[in-house]
Amino acid sequence: MSMRNHISIKHNTFIKRTITLLIVLLTIVSSSNNIKSQELSFGFTGGLNMNTISTKSDDGGLKVGFNIGGLAQYQLNDNMSVIANIKLSAKGQQFSKIEENQNNYIKIYHSTSLYYIDIPILYQYHIKDLLGLEIGPSFNFFLSGKDKSKIGNTTSEIKKFAKGSYNPFEFGLTFGIFTRDLGQSSFNNIFIEFRYFIGLTNVIKDYGRNVNTGAFLNIGYIIRNPLKK
């Protein structure tokens, strides 16, 4: 077995074990007699990513992606809570520019697509009845990536990331603002959140500084008192 295949197997095993551990922890928490059912909520969320890869180069531009997944929220008191997400997230960057070549102008386009399993765990502070702030670490696991390039009228060239060229784990800081109980009556479980992510680990190995940064605009739904009898 090659070294690259061995790394790939360890990477996939680590992701599976992490997801399994999260499920086990949520199950233990939800079944614990020390936690009141009205303090624990579950739900789902999804929305848009506006991401770029921050490097020393000026070529990087914003790329619009998506994120979708589930959440668990534990209410500490009326003003504080902890929320954990697990979601599929599409990130990357893209740019286009015009270059002159022998009195001809050629358009160059490049796009990088990255796919992660993101697991942010955030502390939330509710400022008012409708607004709150959140901050915390995000533990992200790389799934796949590809580059797409096109020069002038030529056919687009697509290259998948070579195994071993990327970091399988990404760590960063997430902070943002969210609404609480948006709307009235039966719609008061809907919320909107705006988050900003700053990566602290490189995407590509041996390539200087290259970290994901971006904003997330999401809408979600929280199921209140799911364990209430």
Side-chain angles (χ1 to χ4, degrees), residues 95-144:
F95 68 88
S96 62
K97 60 182 179 179
I98 304 295
E99 290 190 352
E100 183 178 0
N101 183 16
Q102 297 180 351
N103 296 325
N104 292 323
Y105 292 93
I106 300 176
K107 181 178 181 180
I108 298 175
Y109 172 81
H110 182 84
S111 173
T112 299
S113 299
L114 307 172
Y115 300 95
Y116 286 86
I117 293 293
D118 289 355
I119 308 176
I121 302 175
L122 309 181
Y123 164 81
Q124 296 181 316
Y125 180 77
H126 305 271
I127 302 175
K128 296 182 179 180
D129 290 341
L130 291 178
L131 290 176
L133 299 176
E134 55 188 5
I135 186 170
S138 186
F139 309 91
N140 309 331
F141 300 91
F142 186 88
L143 298 178
S144 65

Side-chain angles (χ1 to χ4, degrees), residues 22-37 40-42 72 74 226-229:
L22 285 172
I23 294 173
V24 171
L25 288 175
L26 288 174
T27 302
I28 293 173
V29 168
S30 63
S31 61
S32 174
N33 293 327
N34 295 325
I35 294 180
K36 297 178 182 180
S37 62
L40 184 65
S41 303
F42 298 96
Y74 180 65
L227 307 178
K228 186 176 181 180
K229 296 181 180 180

Side-chain angles (χ1 to χ4, degrees), residues 36-56:
K36 297 178 182 180
S37 62
Q38 62 267 27
E39 296 174 341
L40 184 65
S41 303
F42 298 96
F44 51 88
T45 181
L48 296 177
N49 303 348
M50 291 154 281
N51 196 87
T52 189
I53 301 175
S54 179
T55 65
K56 293 182 179 180

